[in-house]
Amino acid sequence: MRVLIFGASGLLGRAVMRAFADSHVTGTSFRRQRPGLIRVDATSRDTVWHALEQARPDVVVNCVGERHARVRAEEPARAHELNVSVAQFIAEATLAYGARLLHVSSDYVFDGIAPPYRPDSWCRPLGFYGRLKLLAEDTVRAVHPEVVILRLPVLYGPVEYAAESDITAIAQEVSSGRPVELDDACIRYPTHVDDAAQVCRRLATAQIQGRLVGTVHHWSAEHGFTNYQMGLLIARHFGFPPGHIKAGLEDLAGGDHPVDPRLDCSDLRTALGWRTEDDRTFANEVPHVVASWVRTTCT
Ligand SMILES: NC(=O)c1ccc[n+]([C@@H]2O[C@H](COP(=O)([O-])OP(=O)(O)OC[C@H]3O[C@@H](n4cnc5c(N)ncnc54)[C@H](OP(=O)(O)O)[C@@H]3O)[C@@H](O)[C@H]2O)c1
């Protein structure tokens, strides 16, 4: 299987590269030039087509996106370009070269009012990011009739800088010892990137083998936590007195963030033969993931 991964330098893309390590895999990056990755500016349609021409993949995985709140707020046109236009260019080129396409989306396409959400549940994003992700889904579906869309919740895993995932950012905040308020209203389902990447691999394989039914698929860890609960869990694990961590009730809820966007993954779990016992659990994994970002001098 020849695989082309756009956004292979990112949090999810790096894990997807690891998951496809035994395949004929090509990964792209943009700013982060790394050995083994080719530089592609996917905002250029021609450059995307050139990457397909060179790689001639059986399957393309699109892990390009812009999900950082600062960019969304300060450069909305860029956020639109990276989430929607890039998805369109990749879908068009993938179709033209006769490859399959796996497109990554988000649980933020839901309003979080009536969980759990099935793949065919009605989408009603609350904020700009969710609207971009839904627009990207609609766009790739219109372009590539056989696209497979995988919706994921918040991801955690090995990061290159603390703010790369919300979970390492929380760990760094709680370990600073400074007063911190963390949202205690919105439930999130932190999912390990390596589990998400394995799901990408199995989905792509099933796609190639014609075993996959349906366009939209959901994947998520089972257990939900608020940011405050995650912060307490991390503080307890590293032995930080949690007195400086305050539960916030208004910083996320009522705004752009769904209160409980729990994804119903039962169809995909059955299709992939993946049991919940196979999941990495947040409580077990998060200490390893955040250890190097936590200041152990906190008292
Ligand atoms: N992380 C999460 O919690 C999460 C949760 C649900 C869904 N998702 C979705 O999963 C996908 C991947 O997210 P992520 O967290 O891995 O994002 P990320 O870490 O920010 O990585 C984004 C990737 O896009 C690449 N990129 C940026 N600008 C580009 C350009 N002009 N041309 C080509 N590539 C460009 C980046 O390359 P350089 O860094 O080399 O510039 C990087 O490889 C996104 O669609 C996101 O919405 C993420």
Side-chain angles (χ1 to χ4, degrees):
M1 177 161 58
R2 294 172 69 89
V3 188
L4 173 59
I5 300 164
F6 284 97
S9 52
L11 178 67
L12 177 61
R14 294 194 302 272
V16 176
M17 285 293 281
R18 292 193 289 276
F20 280 106
D22 60 354
S23 300
H24 187 295
V25 62
T26 306
T28 82
S29 67
F30 180 51
R31 281 162 307 186
R32 288 179 268 188
Q33 293 177 43
R34 301 280 187 271
L37 299 183
I38 57 169
R39 185 174 189 276
V40 169
D41 180 359
T43 62
S44 152
R45 182 184 258 121
D46 288 351
T47 311
V48 170
W49 280 62
H50 183 67
L52 267 287
E53 170 68 26
Q54 295 293 305
R56 296 284 175 161
D58 301 302
V59 62
V60 170
V61 186
N62 178 12
C63 296
V64 176
E66 180 52 72
R67 63 186 164 76
H68 293 102
R70 187 194 58 75
V71 179
R72 297 195 317 254
E74 294 172 12
E75 299 175 70
R78 177 134 186 93
H80 184 283
E81 191 174 33
L82 287 174
N83 286 295
V84 183
S85 309
V86 163
Q88 179 183 338
F89 298 158
I90 290 173
E92 287 168 350
T94 303
L95 182 72
Y97 281 91
R100 306 289 183 140
L101 174 60
L102 176 55
H103 173 85
V104 179
S105 188
S106 162
D107 57 354
Y108 271 48
V109 297
F110 295 116
D111 58 16
I113 292 168
Y117 294 91
R118 292 184 49 79
D120 59 357
S121 293
W122 183 55
C123 295
R124 191 180 80 97
L126 298 181
F128 181 54
Y129 176 65
R131 285 196 290 277
L132 291 181
K133 299 316 282 185
L134 185 57
L135 187 54
E137 288 189 11
D138 291 343
T139 302
V140 295
R141 271 206 262 215
V143 170
H144 196 313
E146 291 182 33
V147 66
V148 166
I149 294 168
L150 176 63
R151 294 188 185 130
L152 297 170
V154 65
L155 300 172
Y156 70 99
V159 293
E160 294 185 341
Y161 55 98
E164 197 179 18
S165 93
D166 291 356
I167 289 32
T168 32
I170 289 171
Q172 211 174 40
E173 279 198 273
V174 302
S175 73
S176 71
R178 289 191 296 272
V180 55
E181 185 172 301
L182 295 173
D183 176 75
D184 196 29
C186 295
I187 303 169
R188 316 180 75 190
Y189 294 84
T191 296
H192 200 287
V193 273
D194 287 333
D195 281 352
Q198 272 304 325
V199 169
C200 288
R201 187 198 161 106
R202 293 196 202 182
L203 264 176
T205 308
Q207 220 180 342
I208 297 278
Q209 295 172 344
R211 290 189 283 112
L212 204 58
V213 179
T215 301
V216 180
H217 300 270
H218 286 175
W219 191 263
S220 170
E222 288 280 297
H223 299 292
F225 302 84
T226 64
N227 284 355
Y228 175 67
Q229 289 167 339
M230 288 189 242
L232 285 186
L233 190 148
I234 292 166
R236 281 197 198 104
H237 178 87
F238 288 96
F240 303 144
H244 64 295
I245 309 170
K246 196 175 153 213
L249 291 174
E250 287 173 11
D251 48 337
L252 293 185
D256 286 2
H257 300 259
V259 168
D260 187 355
R262 178 156 59 96
L263 299 174
D264 180 332
C265 316
S266 50
D267 290 351
L268 189 54
R269 283 184 182 276
T270 304
L272 300 182
W274 186 309
R275 302 162 308 161
T276 47
E277 307 91 272
D278 299 333
D279 290 2
R280 291 168 169 85
T281 63
F282 183 72
N284 287 344
E285 296 294 330
V286 78
H288 308 296
V289 168
V290 305
S292 55
W293 303 99
V294 162
R295 290 176 215 170
T296 46
T297 50
C298 181
T299 52

